[in-house]
Amino acid sequence: MKKEVLLLGSTGSIGTQTVDVLKKHADRFSVRGLSCRGDVETLYRQANELHPEFVAAEAPLDPERLPKGTEIFTGADAAERLAEAADADVTVLAISGYAALRPLLAAIKHGRRIAIANKESLVCGGRLVDAALSAYGAELLPIDSEQSAIFQALQNGRRDEVKRLILTASGGPFFRKTRGELQDVSLSDALNHPTWKMGKKITLDSATLFNKGLEIIEASRLFHFGAEQISALIHPQSIVHSMVEYRDGTIMANLSKPDMRLPIQYALTYPERTESLCEPLKLELNHPLEFYPVDPERFPAIRMAYDALRADGVMPTVYNGANERAAELYFAGRIGFTDIEDCVEAALNAIENRPADSVDAIAAADAAARYAVDRHAGKKQ
Ligand code: MG
């Protein structure tokens, strides 16, 4: 029997790589549905290749360009309605940003497997997502390369034997620059990631280290360890994807070439492993594997992530929402690179914490964070 896969966010970087994996293993998987925001041309192409039962897009869709009989959802909440309508053996959540929270909660209600590439929904959803997972018996499997590495390394011991999780960070393109030199880095420098080919927002987040900050919170959400048991390490080669240190001093690490198609496939086939599209790693050709400490003063995104995680409630949502908004302003040329950190700091200081006990409370905190960033950026101009 083929596994049915629902792919939410099929046209982005993770979405298209998931399509590659599904095509490679067409004997194992069939596609139940695809969704995108606005890249409808890619969606038409994918639908005509993969013949899903459902497609969804925020933008309008032309039924003539889709295989006959395809059911269509459109509008701002199209992905959420698709997630409600289509239960699949595996739902891949590859939508980017906070917008994935409602589709995630809808998908959980089917009580099946969710392979999650989106970290923002976990960071913001927190206990709400946990409560829904246990209420509906759904299973969450990480696609994010670091979290997939930790998920695999955790299979080597008991939970109470774990000393700490060690997330690796490439350090991004500016790892060797001083804070002073960061003032005038250009947008194209920020988008030139040394090891991974990814979407624009996550590439920027890798340069500021907000991506690692989000992953510190994401790891806590996924594996239920507190801030004191989660650490980060700079590893510029992106070969060691993350590690788990056990209390006897053993460190279990996960190594491969940086290729997202591997963790995507593992989340789809788990607990099985099969041939993948990822080129094998030849360690003898990969020259030194380096590791450096992360300096939380050099990278305020890390310090603020720990503060937000310890505070919990809506503070992780504020951290994420402020960073999403600041990234938009940076892409629009309205603020500079180091202003991103200032804007997030301003939002974290401006907003009072409260419990993240409903989608409305989380949405309100997300909106307040974006507003606080706009105010702070406005003052600077
Ligand atoms: Mg990652």
Side-chain angles (χ1 to χ4, degrees):
M1 269 277 279
K2 285 190 187 182
K3 268 189 194 170
E4 285 188 320
V5 177
L6 173 64
L7 173 51
L8 302 176
S10 67
T11 60
S13 172
I14 297 289
T16 52
Q17 293 182 82
T18 304
V19 168
D20 290 345
V21 173
L22 295 173
K23 281 178 6 195
K24 153 112 183 137
H25 296 296
D27 55 325
R28 286 175 173 253
F29 302 111
S30 65
V31 179
R32 184 128 159 88
L34 298 170
S35 87
C36 77
R37 210 158 57 175
D39 183 3
V40 297
E41 289 304 320
T42 304
L43 188 73
Y44 291 138
R45 205 175 57 239
Q46 291 174 335
N48 284 295
E49 227 171 347
L50 300 166
H51 297 275
E53 289 163 64
F54 303 92
V55 297
E58 270 187 44
L61 286 170
D62 175 3
E64 296 296 315
R65 300 196 53 194
L66 290 161
K68 239 193 164 64
T70 311
E71 213 172 305
I72 298 172
F73 298 89
T74 54
D77 60 350
E80 186 184 357
R81 285 187 290 129
L82 171 59
E84 265 164 22
D87 62 327
D89 297 310
V90 188
T91 296
V92 177
L93 194 71
I95 295 170
S96 78
Y98 167 79
L101 179 60
R102 286 173 199 272
L104 169 63
L105 291 169
I108 288 173
K109 290 187 181 161
H110 297 295
R112 313 282 278 276
R113 175 179 300 179
I114 297 159
I116 187 161
N118 176 282
K119 57 198 70 160
E120 294 86 346
S121 58
L122 290 177
V123 166
C124 302
R127 304 231 158 79
L128 207 60
V129 172
D130 274 342
L133 287 169
S134 49
Y136 296 99
E139 172 191 35
L140 208 55
L141 281 181
I143 283 181
D144 196 357
S145 59
E146 292 80 356
Q147 316 298 355
S148 177
I150 289 173
F151 176 74
Q152 296 178 60
L154 282 172
Q155 292 165 29
N156 296 284
R158 288 199 322 257
R159 195 189 154 74
D160 63 352
E161 293 168 343
V162 172
K163 189 170 167 201
R164 61 182 178 136
L165 314 182
I166 307 168
L167 291 160
T168 53
S170 71
F174 308 139
F175 157 55
R176 292 173 206 278
K177 285 194 190 296
T178 64
R179 275 204 77 72
E181 288 169 335
L182 286 178
Q183 300 297 334
D184 39 39
V185 297
S186 73
L187 178 60
S188 65
D189 292 338
L191 293 183
N192 186 20
H193 194 277
T195 49
W196 290 97
K197 282 259 157 297
M198 305 179 289
K200 196 166 115 173
K201 161 73 164 48
I202 188 171
T203 304
L204 176 64
D205 285 348
S206 298
T208 55
L209 262 72
F210 273 101
N211 183 52
K212 211 49 53 183
L214 291 167
E215 284 175 358
I216 287 166
I217 305 172
E218 182 190 19
S220 173
R221 302 303 200 208
L222 279 166
F223 308 115
H224 303 101
F225 288 99
E228 66 295 341
Q229 277 184 288
I230 304 173
S231 61
L233 206 53
I234 305 261
H235 167 47
Q237 290 81 17
S238 303
I239 296 291
V240 176
H241 300 303
S242 279
M243 298 170 260
V244 172
E245 183 178 352
Y246 287 92
R247 67 180 176 203
D248 62 356
T250 297
I251 294 179
M252 304 300 303
N254 174 285
L255 287 76
S256 71
K257 286 210 158 190
D259 185 333
M260 284 309 297
R261 296 173 304 180
L262 186 52
I264 290 168
Q265 175 172 308
Y266 185 66
L268 290 169
T269 62
Y270 173 82
E272 287 172 43
R273 292 183 189 272
T274 187
E275 291 68 31
S276 82
L277 291 158
C278 178
E279 224 181 280
L281 173 65
K282 292 202 171 81
L283 274 172
E284 65 275 26
L285 302 180
N286 280 273
H287 308 300
L289 297 180
E290 302 166 281
F291 299 91
Y292 303 95
V294 182
D295 176 358
E297 295 313 312
R298 165 75 178 65
F299 292 109
I302 300 294
R303 171 178 50 78
M304 291 189 276
Y306 278 111
D307 289 347
L309 175 58
R310 287 197 188 93
D312 206 7
V314 296
M315 296 325 273
T317 300
V318 173
Y319 177 84
N320 176 68
N323 178 51
E324 281 192 28
R325 181 60 185 149
E328 283 169 15
L329 296 180
Y330 176 71
F331 287 134
R334 289 177 49 198
I335 61 173
F337 184 76
T338 52
D339 294 331
I340 298 172
E341 294 155 352
D342 291 349
C343 284
V344 175
E345 183 107 68
L348 287 167
N349 290 333
I351 294 164
E352 212 175 304
N353 199 5
R354 49 172 297 189
D357 50 8
S358 67
V359 177
D360 289 345
I362 294 168
D366 177 71
R370 288 165 200 262
Y371 178 72
V373 168
D374 284 346
R375 271 188 57 135
H376 184 75
K379 269 192 228 154
K380 297 194 99 169
Q381 277 171 351

